[in-house]
Every structure is written in structure tokens, then in C-alpha cells.
């Protein structure tokens, strides 16, 4: 997701107007622009969490446990969104939690995408037997429901946020392999690739310089979608006790800690989940916009 | 047709072997000696250790171990649970009906709402109704279902006191479980209260598990309908003067259903992944909860066997969908 601007800028240098064209189509989708705004706020929170939060996210105010949000009776503006069962400020924890989700998204997408693109390129250019072996391995990974495989991988590696990220990246990677391979297969037969080969471009150059840039559009859309999947899965693993461990203010982990209080204190359950939903929704909105802007079939030009 | 089926089967077999390899590797890549891990904190004597090594075949070369495991799998032998000492195979199939019942209800819920929602959105393309439905679908698609479950519990169980929070049925009812499906069994027992209790227990888990498939089906139906509505034969039908209901309902929907059915078939994996979270939250005694519990109890044969059975099930369903797709759509067979 975050790689988008970088690659777009790189392309503008050689072909001015691309970024502008992209923005023109992206802007037409109002939902996507709205999603982008929310995402910017989310990224801002993640970047400046220590400055934005009122308190240390792990600081316990023992005299103020389970304080409701400020606007409710019994609330206190000292803690705008209330406090959790241990008297920690909800708002500070939520803001700090955005860092973990953002981090998870970036790391997982980077690992899954770079690995998947590389393997996909190899599969696309490789002789048939190697291609078959690679694709069968991807089929095997895809045969397991993703959350289950991630759960089992974390059980092997030991529960922690790092291991959860590794597990999710492994589970998401086959989608990039398939996508890249499919695009490479269709691009490879085109004339410009043949002419590059005739001119004497080596295999590495053909793969990364000639073909890859033309396969990027669907991969960028996939990156946006898996950014949100990564956040959701990491939160689900945290919720099951297999992701970030308490007292880390990761949103899924916060929900797991709050579970026993659901009937007594709605705010400790509602806000972390709302944070996950809004973030994921914003990214999915952007993903839809990206697809519309990058998919040449839908352009009416 | 046979050739198509054969080629599909040919890709199935290596995948199946790969899946058994992964589940075989599972116990062996765990950090530490599996026997020591099994023994837990009590520890064990040298003699018992050697005995267990032979019993589990860990003293054999690795390829012999795999071969024994693979033959065992083909015969339905997946080892025994550490905790209950029962065969993993039996445990899986005694819990599976609970998951199947929940999944079927969730899928019915998703199709009953998702299909009409997608059609209505497509027919009203770009209008308010379309945007409202598709925004809702996107929210559903983005939903962390474990949080959604908690919210529904707060509202329906906490504030309104309509639905129970956990289990499949109130414990006061007893009847023989013939089919394993609690709706059928309770109805067959003739106790009206039992059936109602089962239904009330089923409502929230169904809603939670069905949410993401519902959103996916609505989105897929809309885009499939839009694609079909742009075809020439629809224009012909319109020119012939057919009513919009007939065009949308018969001409368009029938052709739009093919990708939708594929999506339904392929969401088995999603359902099973969702069942892990849903069953854990609602204490639903199915295979999702069983897997999570086993992971926490370090009941490795169960994790290993469950992983394999679930993967094989997903593969079989995907293969069936693929083959059926080939039957419906001759274009696919040629590939």
C-alpha cells in the first residue's frame, strides 16, 4: 500500500502525468478518497502516537478502574474514552495500538509481496516442471484455511506479534505468487518482451525491468487488500491469545482482555473493535478506488 | 469431460501428498523432543522414554516414519488425543456435525440476503439504493467478526436478553443425538421447547459466521449481474419487449449465478476459518473450538490430525466445485 506513492513517483520521472492520471481516476471514487483521509489520520496516529496520547498506555490509575467515557454519567474528561479494568486510559491505548496495526500491515505486506513477486516471476519465466512444482506448493498452502494455518504456525513458533506477522505473511504470500505469475504469463508473449529479448536483454533484466512494471497494477491492488487482511488476522490472533501478548495495547489483544467485562463495561469492548473496523474499512475503500483507477478495462478514455 | 476430470485429479494428488507432508512435519518441527513435550512437567523414566520412542516410531528413519504415517492416514488412523486418549478420527467426526450445521445455516443466511441485495444493487446501479447496499456490504466485508460477535452478545444477550451466550442447547433438554444435527434431533424428539432452545442458540453464531460470506456474495452478485446486463442478448431481450422482471430474473440472473456459485463453493475455507473464531466465542462444540482448545492444551496429535482433515476437506470441496464448474461451463474444460 505504502509502496504505491514511491513506485508511482518513480514512474512519473520517465512518463510525466501518470501520477496525475492515476489521481484523476482515483478522485472520481468518493468512497476511496474518504478512505484515504481516514488512512492518513490512522498513519498520523501511528507516526506520532507518543505525542498524541495523554498518558503512558501501560500506566495504571488504580483509583479510576472501568471509568465510562467522559460523556456518560460517572465519566471524567481526564479520560475521554474511559479506562479499562486496570485503570489504563482507553484513548492512549487505542492511539498506541494504531502503531502495532500499521506496523503489522507494512511488515506483512512487504514480506508477502516481495517474496510472492519474486517467486511468481520465477514461476512465470521458469521451465514448465519448475513452474508446476512452485504452483503445487502454493496450492498446498492455500488448501489450509488461512487463519488456521497462521494459528498452527504461531503454535509452533510461540505466541508473539513477530511470529504472528511471519505466519500471516506466509499465508498471504501465495496470492501474490499466483497474481504475478498470471500477469507474467500474459505479458511474456507480447511483442515488446520479444524485442527486448532480441536486443539481448538478460533474464534478470527481462524479469525485473521489462515485464515486472507492467504487472504491477493488480499487485498494488492486492497489496491494499492484504494490508487490511493482515490487520484483521493479526487482531484475530491477538484475540485468540496467539498474537501480541498483554499488556501490549494491540487492538485484538485489548479485545481479548476486555471479553469478561462485555456486559458491565461496553466501552472497553466497543472502541478497540471500532478502531479495527474503521481502519480496515478505510483501507478496503482505498483498495476499491485503486482497482478502479489502475484497471485499464474500466477506464473510458 | 473425462480428460478434464482426470487432469483435475492429477493436480489433486500431489497437493494431497504435500498436505500430509506438512501435517507430518508439524510434530517434528516443534521445538524440543516431542516425547518430552508430551510428558509435560511430570517428566518420565529412561525406560518409559524408550518405550514411547518405539511406540510412536521416533526411533525409525524419517522416511519410514512418514511412510507409516501416510499409510495410517489412508486407513483413517490419525493417532490418539493426548488428553482424551480417543482416536483423533473419531473425535473429529463426532464434532464435525456441529460445525457443519452452523456453516450450513450461515451459508443459507448469507445466500438468502446476499443474492437479493446484489441483484437489487445491480438493477439500481449508481442510485442511492445501490450505494447504500454496497457500503453496507463493504462494512460487512471489513468486519472483525470476533468483535461483531461480542457486540451482538452485548445487545441481544445482555440488554435484550433474547438469546443465550454459549452452547448449542439448554442443558435441561435431553434426547438421543441420532444425526448430530441438533435442529433435526431436537425436532425428532418431539420436545417443542428443545427445538426452540436450539434455534435460539443458533441465531447469533449464524449471524456472525454468515456476515463475511454475505458481503462477498452481495458484491459478487452485483458485479456478475452488471457484467451480464451489458451483454447483447440482454439488449435483444429488451428490444423484444420483455418485462424488466423477466429480463433480470431469468435472462440475467441465470448467467450471473455461475460465478456466484463458484464463490459460494470456494468460501468453505473462509467458513472454516470463521468457525474458529465464532465457535470459540460462543463455546460452540465444533471442530473450530476443538482445534483452538487443542492448540492451547498442546494436544499435538489432535492439531496435526485436525489440520490434515480440514485441509483435505477444503481440497475435496474445491475439486468438486471445479468439476461442477466444468460441467456447467464447457469453455473451462478446454483449458
Amino acid at each position: 500500500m505504502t509502496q504505491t506513492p514511491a513506485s508511482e513517483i518513480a514512474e512519473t520521472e520517465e512518463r510525466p502525468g501518470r501520477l496525475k492520471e492515476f489521481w484523476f481516476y482515483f478522485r472520481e471514487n468518493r468512497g476511496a478518497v474518504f478512505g484515504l483521509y481516514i488512512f492518513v489520520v490512522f498513519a498520523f496516529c501511528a507516526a506520532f502516537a507518543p505525542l498524541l496520547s495523554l498518558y503512558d498506555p501501560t500506566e495504571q490509575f488504580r483509583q479510576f478502574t472501568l471509568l465510562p467515557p467522559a460523556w456518560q454519567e460517572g465519566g471524567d474528561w481526564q479520560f475521554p474514552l474511559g479506562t479499562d479494568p486496570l485503570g489504563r486510559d482507553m484513548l492512549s491505548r487505542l492511539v498506541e495500538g494504531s502503531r502495532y496495526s500499521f506496523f503489522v500491515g507494512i511488515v506483512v505486506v512487504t514480506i508477502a509481496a516481495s517474496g510472492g513477486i519474486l517467486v511468481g516471476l520465477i514461476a512465470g519465466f521458469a521451465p514448465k516442471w519448475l513452474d508446476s512444482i512452485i504452483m503445487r506448493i502454493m496450492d498446498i498452502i492455500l488448501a489450509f484455511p488461512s487463519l488456521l494455518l497462521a494459528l498452527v504456525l504461531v503454535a509452533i513458533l510461540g505466541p508473539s506479534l513477530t511470529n504472528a506477522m511471519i505466519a500471516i505473511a506466509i499465508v498471504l504470500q501465495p496470492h501474490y505468487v499466483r497474481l504475478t505469475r498470471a500477469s507474467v504469463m500474459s505479458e511474456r508473449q507480447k511483442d515488446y518482451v520479444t524485442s527486448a529479448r532480441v536486443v539481448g536483454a538478460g533474464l534478470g533484466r527481462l524479469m525485473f525491468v521489462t515485464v515486472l512494471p507492467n504487472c504491477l497494477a493488480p499487485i498494488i491492488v492486492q497489496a491494499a487488500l492484504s494490508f487490511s487482511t493482515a490487520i484483521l488476522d493479526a487482531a484475530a490472533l491477538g484475540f485468540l491469545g496467539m498474537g501480541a501478548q498483554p499488556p501490549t495495547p494491540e487492538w485484538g489483544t485489548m479485545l481479548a482482555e476486555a471479553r469478561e467485562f462485555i456486559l458491565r463495561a461496553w466501552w472497553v469492548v466497543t472502541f478497540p473493535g471500532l478502531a479495527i473496523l474503521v481502519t480496515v474499512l478505510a483501507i478496503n475503500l482505498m483498495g476499491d478506488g485503486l482497482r478502479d483507477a489502475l484497471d485499464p478495462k474500466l477506464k473510458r478514455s | 469431460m473425462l480428460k478434464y476430470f482426470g487432469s483435475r485429479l492429477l493436480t489433486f494428488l500431489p497437493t494431497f501428498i504435500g498436505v500430509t507432508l506438512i501435517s507430518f512435519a508439524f510434530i517434528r518441527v516443534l521445538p524440543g523432543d516431542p516425547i518430552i513435550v508430551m510428558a509435560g512437567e511430570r517428566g518420565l523414566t529412561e525406560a518409559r522414554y524408550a518405550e514411547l520412542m518405539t511406540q510412536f516410531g521416533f526411533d525409525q528413519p524419517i522416511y519410514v516414519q512418514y511412510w507409516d504415517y501416510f499409510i495410517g492416514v489412508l486407513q483413517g488412523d490419525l493417532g490418539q488425543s493426548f488428553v482424551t486418549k480417543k482416536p483423533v478420527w473419531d473425535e473429529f467426526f463426532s464434532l464435525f456435525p456441529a460445525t457443519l450445521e452452523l456453516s450450513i445455516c450461515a451459508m443459507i443466511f448469507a445466500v438468502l440476503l446476499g443474492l437479493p441485495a446484489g441483484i437489487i444493487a445491480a438493477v439500481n446501479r449508481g442510485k442511492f439504493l445501490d450505494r447504500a447496499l454496497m457500503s453496507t456490504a463493504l462494512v460487512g466485508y471489513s468486519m472483525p467478526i470476533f468483535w461483531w460477535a461480542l457486540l451482538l452478545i452485548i445487545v441481544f444477550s445482555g440488554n435484550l436478553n433474547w438469546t443465550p451466550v454459549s452452547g448449542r442447547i439448554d442443558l435441561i433438554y435431553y434426547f438421543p443425538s441420532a444425526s448430530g444435527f441438533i435442529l433435526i434431533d431436537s425436532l425428532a424428539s418431539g420436545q417443542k421447547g428443545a427445538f426452540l432452545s436450539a434455534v435460539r442458540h443458533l441465531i447469533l453464531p449464524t449471524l456472525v459466521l454468515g456476515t463475511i460470506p454475505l458481503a462477498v456474495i452481495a458484491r459478487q452478485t452485483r458485479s456478475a449481474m452488471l457484467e451480464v446486463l451489458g451483454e447483447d442478448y440482454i439488449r435483444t431481450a429488451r428490444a423484444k419487449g420483455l418485462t424488466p422482471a423477466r429480463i433480470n430474473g431469468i435472462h440475467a440472473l441465470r448467467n450471473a449465478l455461475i460465478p456466484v456459485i463458484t464463490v459460494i463453493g470456494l468460501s468453505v475455507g473462509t467458513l472454516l476459518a470463521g468457525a474458529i473464531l465464532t465457535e470459540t466465542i460462543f463455546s460452540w462444540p465444533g471442530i473450530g473450538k476443538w482445534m483452538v482448545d487443542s492448540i492451547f492444551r498442546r494436544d499435538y496429535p489432535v492439531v496435526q490430525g485436525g489440520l490434515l482433515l480440514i485441509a483435505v476437506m477444503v481440497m475435496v470441496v474445491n475439486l468438486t466445485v471445479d468439476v461442477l464448474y466444468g460441467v456447467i461451463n464447457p469453455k473451462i474444460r478446454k483449458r
Side-chain angles (χ1 to χ4, degrees):
Chain A
M1 193 45 259
T2 41
Q3 303 156 336
T4 318
S7 60
E8 286 295 337
I9 288 162
E11 277 162 32
T12 11
E13 283 165 11
E14 55 198 64
R15 213 186 107 179
R18 247 213 190 172
L19 187 63
K20 216 172 167 186
E21 186 196 338
F22 165 77
W23 179 243
F24 175 80
Y25 284 106
F26 187 80
R27 209 180 44 187
E28 278 197 351
N29 188 333
R30 266 187 295 167
V33 177
F34 184 63
L36 181 66
Y37 289 151
I38 298 179
F39 186 77
V40 168
V41 172
F42 165 64
F44 184 79
C45 279
F48 299 103
L51 301 175
L52 290 170
S53 50
L54 302 166
Y55 312 96
D56 184 299
T58 52
E59 191 179 351
Q60 302 180 2
F61 299 91
R62 283 308 176 113
Q63 66 276 38
F64 296 117
T65 53
L66 284 180
L67 215 60
W71 61 87
Q72 254 199 341
E73 198 180 332
D76 190 334
W77 278 109
Q78 240 183 305
F79 305 103
L81 294 182
T83 57
D84 74 355
L86 293 175
R88 294 172 294 197
D89 180 41
M90 285 296 288
L91 182 63
S92 306
R93 286 177 74 70
L94 287 174
V95 170
E96 182 74 13
S98 68
R99 300 196 115 177
Y100 292 94
S101 288
F102 197 82
F103 183 61
V104 166
I106 299 235
V107 172
V108 168
V109 169
T110 311
I111 298 177
S114 48
I117 291 172
L118 188 65
V119 177
L121 275 174
I122 293 172
F125 276 97
K128 192 144 188 282
W129 61 271
L130 183 58
D131 176 38
S132 295
I133 291 176
I134 292 176
M135 292 326 282
R136 284 300 83 72
I137 293 174
M138 296 306 134
D139 281 351
I140 292 166
I141 300 179
L142 286 172
F144 297 96
S146 59
L147 185 64
L148 180 65
L149 189 58
L151 203 59
V152 170
L153 284 172
V154 173
I156 295 171
L157 299 168
S160 77
L161 191 63
T162 318
N163 291 341
M165 289 192 297
I166 296 171
I168 297 168
I170 293 176
V171 170
L172 287 179
Q173 190 242 10
H175 297 284
Y176 289 94
V177 176
R178 284 192 162 183
L179 214 56
T180 311
R181 175 180 170 271
S183 318
V184 168
M185 290 288 197
S186 70
E187 289 296 321
R188 215 178 57 164
Q189 294 157 0
K190 293 191 178 160
D191 289 343
Y192 75 94
V193 182
T194 316
S195 56
R197 190 173 294 166
V198 170
V199 167
L203 192 60
R205 193 180 166 81
L206 272 182
M207 278 160 95
F208 291 100
V209 183
T210 315
V211 171
L212 183 60
N214 292 299
C215 302
L216 275 181
I219 294 171
I220 290 170
V221 176
Q222 179 65 32
L225 294 178
S226 53
F227 199 103
S228 62
T229 315
I231 291 178
L232 266 182
D233 281 358
L237 287 176
F239 180 74
L240 290 171
M242 285 291 185
Q245 298 297 308
T248 312
E250 197 270 327
W251 293 336
T253 313
M254 283 172 76
L255 269 176
E257 284 181 84
R259 249 184 93 178
E260 51 185 306
F261 299 95
I262 53 172
L263 297 181
R264 276 166 50 200
W266 59 269
W267 57 94
V268 289
V269 177
T270 310
F271 293 133
L274 200 61
I276 302 173
L277 174 63
V278 170
T279 310
V280 171
L281 183 61
I283 297 168
N284 283 343
L285 277 170
M286 276 168 58
D288 277 3
L290 276 175
R291 194 191 50 217
D292 293 352
L294 293 173
D295 190 345
K297 266 191 286 181
L298 293 171
K299 283 183 191 169
R300 284 152 305 184
S301 52
Chain B
M1 190 62 228
L2 258 179
K3 203 178 153 199
Y4 170 73
F5 186 73
S7 76
R8 298 272 45 166
L9 210 62
L10 269 183
T11 60
F12 179 84
L13 284 177
T15 318
F16 173 72
I17 293 171
V19 167
T20 59
L21 262 174
I22 286 192
S23 77
F24 169 78
F26 168 69
I27 278 194
R28 278 135 191 108
V29 296
L30 284 169
D33 188 325
I35 305 258
I36 305 273
V37 174
M38 276 181 225
E41 283 159 17
R42 278 172 301 160
L44 74 182
T45 60
E46 291 273 319
R48 180 81 183 123
Y49 180 84
E51 193 187 320
L52 281 174
M53 280 294 268
T54 333
Q55 187 192 328
F56 287 98
F58 286 136
D59 51 350
Q60 306 269 348
I62 195 91
Y63 57 89
V64 177
Q65 290 183 37
Y66 173 69
W67 180 249
D68 289 346
Y69 174 74
F70 187 71
I71 296 299
V73 166
L74 292 184
Q75 294 168 342
D77 174 17
L78 295 169
Q80 280 184 356
S81 158
F82 287 162
V83 178
T84 62
K85 306 287 177 211
K86 281 195 240 158
V88 173
W89 180 275
D90 295 355
E91 278 208 350
F92 183 90
F93 284 100
S94 72
L95 292 170
F96 183 60
T99 302
L100 188 62
E101 182 174 40
L102 177 59
S103 307
I104 291 175
C105 290
M107 213 58 207
I108 293 175
F109 163 73
V111 172
L112 280 185
L113 287 182
L115 215 53
I119 297 169
I120 293 172
V123 173
N124 295 292
R125 183 186 191 176
K127 291 185 192 150
F128 172 76
L129 203 54
D130 178 25
R131 267 188 255 140
L133 283 171
M134 283 306 114
S135 311
T136 318
L138 196 65
V139 173
Y141 183 69
S142 312
M143 188 64 84
I145 60 166
F146 43 99
W147 176 66
W148 179 226
L150 296 179
L151 276 195
L152 290 175
I153 289 176
I154 291 183
V155 174
F156 291 103
S157 307
N159 294 347
L160 299 169
N161 218 359
W162 284 356
T163 52
V165 184
S166 67
R168 290 177 85 186
I169 193 158
D170 288 331
L171 291 173
I172 50 166
Y173 299 104
Y174 179 77
F175 45 84
S177 99
S179 65
F181 295 106
I182 207 140
L183 286 179
I184 298 174
D185 288 341
S186 62
L187 201 61
S189 74
Q191 296 164 287
K192 207 171 156 199
F195 180 69
L196 285 178
S197 167
V199 170
R200 286 191 11 206
H201 278 83
L202 196 58
I203 291 176
L204 288 192
T206 301
L207 263 171
V208 169
L209 188 55
T211 299
I212 290 182
L214 164 61
V216 172
I217 290 172
R219 280 161 64 95
Q220 182 67 40
T221 309
R222 177 180 179 270
S223 67
M225 277 292 277
L226 284 181
E227 196 155 304
V228 172
L229 284 175
E231 299 276 341
D232 285 344
Y233 65 84
I234 296 292
R235 202 177 311 148
T236 314
R238 242 179 234 139
K240 280 199 300 190
L242 295 183
T243 59
R246 202 178 157 77
I247 295 173
N248 292 326
I250 311 254
H251 286 69
L253 182 60
R254 260 178 138 187
N255 289 294
L257 271 183
I258 296 176
V260 175
I261 289 172
T262 319
V263 166
I264 295 173
L266 295 181
S267 54
V268 176
T270 325
L271 274 180
L272 283 170
I276 293 171
L277 292 164
T278 314
E279 290 180 1
T280 308
I281 293 169
F282 291 101
S283 302
W284 189 265
I287 49 171
K289 183 171 185 307
W290 178 62
M291 287 295 285
V292 172
D293 289 348
S294 305
I295 287 174
F296 277 104
R297 285 196 296 235
R298 300 179 178 275
D299 194 347
Y300 295 128
V302 170
V303 179
Q304 185 184 31
L307 193 66
L308 177 69
L309 284 175
I310 291 174
V312 169
M313 216 148 54
V314 173
M315 282 163 55
V316 170
V317 173
N318 288 357
L319 180 72
T320 317
V321 173
D322 261 12
V323 170
L324 284 182
Y325 202 43
V327 173
I328 304 173
N329 190 349
K331 257 196 271 176
I332 301 290
R333 266 179 259 159
K334 299 252 170 63
R335 277 191 209 156

